[in-house]
Amino acid sequence: MKRIVLLGPPGAGKGTQADVICEKYSVPHVSTGNILREAVSNKTPLGVKAKTFMDAGNLVPDDLVIDLIRERLTKEDCEKSGFLLDGFPRTIDQAVALDKLLEEISRPLTHVVDIDVSDEILIERIAGRAQEGSGRSDDNAEVAANRLKVYHEQTAPVSAHYKEAGNLSEVDGTGSVEEVSTRILNIINS
Ligand code: AMP
């Protein structure tokens, strides 16, 4: 059974790659971004709290996302089929909380894959996505730049956390979607 964390900066293609992997291994795709966007559009208490952070490209407070992940990962589908986490953990405190939760339920991660893309390429991609109008309210140039800054300050250290734990696999995120998914699938197959 696969229990995967997919790491990488905004614009690295995590969502697209997550879809490929989840289809191939029939694991639930757990995206905190998707769950939060749904909460915002349904105006749930969580959505109301999260919206201003998301619109500015800032991280939603740890306790909110940790609670939602705890709830999601202990659902039957994840217990039965594993999971792929996309967009979580995004801070060291989230990574530590995840370690603790998975230890509690005796379900350690099987793979942590970090998609590596240079800032130069990311900025080009993000600008393109903003211009095409992805429909995401956090996809304009200014907010995208902040998302990248937040990534470097708060999320990049998460990779080091897993590197220290000895289970980080780094993947070159440049090239076509297929090239990148082949690299990722090679790791997950092993
Ligand atoms: P994403 O779709 O993963 O890029 O997430 C979109 C936005 O949701 C982010 O810019 C954050 O505001 C929020 N978000 C998603 N995942 C997390 C997380 N693990 N921790 C804090 N905020 C998050």
Side-chain angles (χ1 to χ4, degrees):
M1 193 195 297
K2 309 288 182 193
R3 288 181 296 272
I4 304 164
V5 165
L6 198 55
L7 298 172
K14 286 192 299 294
T16 309
Q17 294 301 335
D19 287 337
V20 174
I21 301 163
C22 289
E23 168 139 20
K24 173 122 180 136
Y25 292 103
S26 305
V27 291
H29 177 183
V30 178
S31 155
T32 40
N34 289 348
I35 296 170
L36 289 168
R37 274 186 290 277
E38 200 181 321
V40 169
S41 78
N42 292 331
K43 299 196 169 65
T44 67
L46 169 66
V48 171
K49 285 185 204 145
K51 187 176 185 328
T52 33
F53 297 99
M54 295 173 74
D55 283 348
N58 290 322
L59 295 184
V60 171
D62 283 337
D63 54 338
L64 296 181
V65 273
I66 290 168
D67 281 353
L68 86 78
I69 278 293
R70 174 178 287 276
E71 204 178 293
R72 183 67 191 85
L73 294 190
T74 49
K75 284 209 169 123
E76 204 188 331
D77 60 339
C78 292
E79 299 216 329
K80 247 180 32 201
S81 315
F83 53 79
L84 180 145
L85 284 175
D86 159 15
F88 182 94
R90 258 187 163 92
T91 64
I92 290 285
D93 283 354
Q94 291 178 20
V96 171
L98 179 65
D99 288 346
K100 209 170 132 226
L101 167 65
L102 296 179
E103 203 176 302
E104 266 171 46
I105 58 177
S106 303
R107 287 187 159 66
L109 294 172
T110 57
H111 299 87
V112 181
V113 178
D114 193 5
I115 306 179
D116 206 22
V117 179
S118 72
D119 275 4
E120 231 179 351
I121 294 177
L122 289 175
I123 287 163
E124 263 173 42
R125 285 189 191 173
I126 294 169
R129 198 157 84 174
Q131 227 169 31
E132 282 164 19
S134 69
R136 283 178 53 157
S137 57
D138 60 358
D139 247 355
N140 68 58
E142 194 186 323
V143 172
N146 188 45
R147 277 159 51 79
L148 200 52
K149 179 168 166 268
V150 166
Y151 168 78
H152 283 298
E153 288 173 0
Q154 299 186 65
T155 307
V158 171
S159 303
H161 173 87
Y162 289 114
K163 205 169 198 169
E164 267 165 41
N167 55 358
L168 185 78
S169 304
E170 286 167 286
V171 163
D172 175 6
T174 56
S176 67
V177 170
E178 292 73 23
E179 282 168 330
V180 178
S181 39
T182 304
R183 291 177 199 134
I184 296 176
L185 292 172
N186 278 338
I187 289 167
I188 293 174
N189 275 325
S190 62

